[in-house]
Amino acid sequence: MTAPLTPPPPPHEPSPREPSRREPSPHEAWPPSPGGYAGMAAAPHEAPYGQDGPGMKTELREAAVITVGVALTGVLLGLLWVWLAPKVPLVGDVVEGNWVVYFKDTEGEQAIGVDGTFTLLALAFGAVSAVAAFAWRRRGGVPLVVALALGGFLGSLLAWRVGLWLGPDSDVLAHARAAGKGVTFSAPLKLGAKGALLAWSLAGSLVHLGLTALFGPRDPDPYQAQGAVPPKDGYGAPAA
């Protein structure tokens, strides 16, 4: 004797009085892990230190070395300035028993050429120092940029003083007496445009920033570096 076949009970449907169960959203499916979302690695700032640079103390030491090295090359800039700067011709004369000095060529542009020569040399030295610093360290950083700017300014000051020291005599009256009446002699080196002292710093900072942007190390993608999958929203797109 067989029992009658009875159909399976219908699925349970909540009554109007029974509160329905809310489907958990994808963001609430798993509790967040200590590093963020479930299945995602810890944030990059929580990773062990060691890939972001050599450390602040090392950077400051390197910056000090670069500052001193760049500043000392100002001696070479001063020597080149004395050698390449155009000469400003002066002439001495005696008027009523007193020596006077005047320009031989009143419309000449040699004085402007002196400032231009210093500026162009400083720009070239700034670019070369930036390339050398980048080739040595291969990284950017605020201490390095500050070191290039400060070292360039100190090097420009040193080059200016070296040019005044090794250039023609600054006592033009004594020089005119020694040369004789009507004899042409060179005026001392004079940097009329004091803004040229900043050319080295400006060129070094800009060139180094450009090299760092083009050839410097890139920050790794936190998801690709850790092999994690970014969290997605309910529609399958990466969550914002």
Side-chain angles (χ1 to χ4, degrees):
M1 184 174 182
T2 59
L5 298 175
T6 57
H12 176 71
E13 296 182 357
S15 62
R17 297 182 178 180
E18 181 180 358
S20 60
R21 297 182 178 178
R22 183 173 59 87
E23 186 71 15
S25 64
H27 297 290
E28 300 176 354
W30 302 97
S33 63
Y37 293 93
M40 186 176 68
H45 63 271
E46 297 177 0
Y49 180 82
Q51 297 180 354
D52 295 337
M56 183 57 66
K57 291 184 179 180
T58 303
E59 288 185 354
L60 291 177
R61 282 198 303 267
E62 293 176 349
V65 172
I66 291 175
T67 301
V68 175
V70 171
L72 291 178
T73 55
V75 176
L76 179 59
L77 174 58
L79 295 176
L80 291 176
W81 185 40
V82 174
W83 180 35
L84 298 176
K87 308 301 180 183
V88 180
L90 299 178
V91 175
D93 196 2
V94 180
V95 178
E96 297 180 356
N98 297 322
W99 279 90
V100 294
V101 178
Y102 54 89
F103 290 101
K104 182 178 182 180
D105 186 5
T106 56
E107 297 182 357
E109 298 181 353
Q110 292 87 350
I112 300 177
V114 172
D115 293 347
T117 302
F118 186 93
T119 303
L120 292 177
L121 288 174
L123 291 175
F125 270 69
V128 172
S129 61
V131 172
F134 181 79
W136 173 51
R137 194 172 183 277
R138 290 289 181 178
R139 283 182 177 270
V142 175
L144 184 57
V145 175
V146 173
L148 286 173
L150 181 59
F153 179 69
L154 296 177
S156 298
L157 289 177
L158 182 59
W160 178 35
R161 302 309 301 177
V162 169
L164 295 180
W165 178 44
L166 297 180
D169 190 1
S170 59
D171 190 350
V172 292
L173 291 179
H175 200 171
R177 294 190 188 97
K181 180 181 178 180
V183 178
T184 303
F185 62 96
S186 298
L189 286 178
K190 180 181 179 181
L191 191 61
K194 295 302 188 292
L197 296 174
L198 301 176
W200 189 337
S201 302
L202 183 62
S205 301
L206 292 180
V207 171
H208 186 269
L209 289 176
L211 291 174
T212 304
L214 292 176
F215 307 108
R218 299 292 188 270
D219 294 334
D221 190 344
Y223 300 117
Q224 295 180 358
Q226 301 295 337
V229 179
K232 297 182 179 181
D233 56 13
Y235 299 98

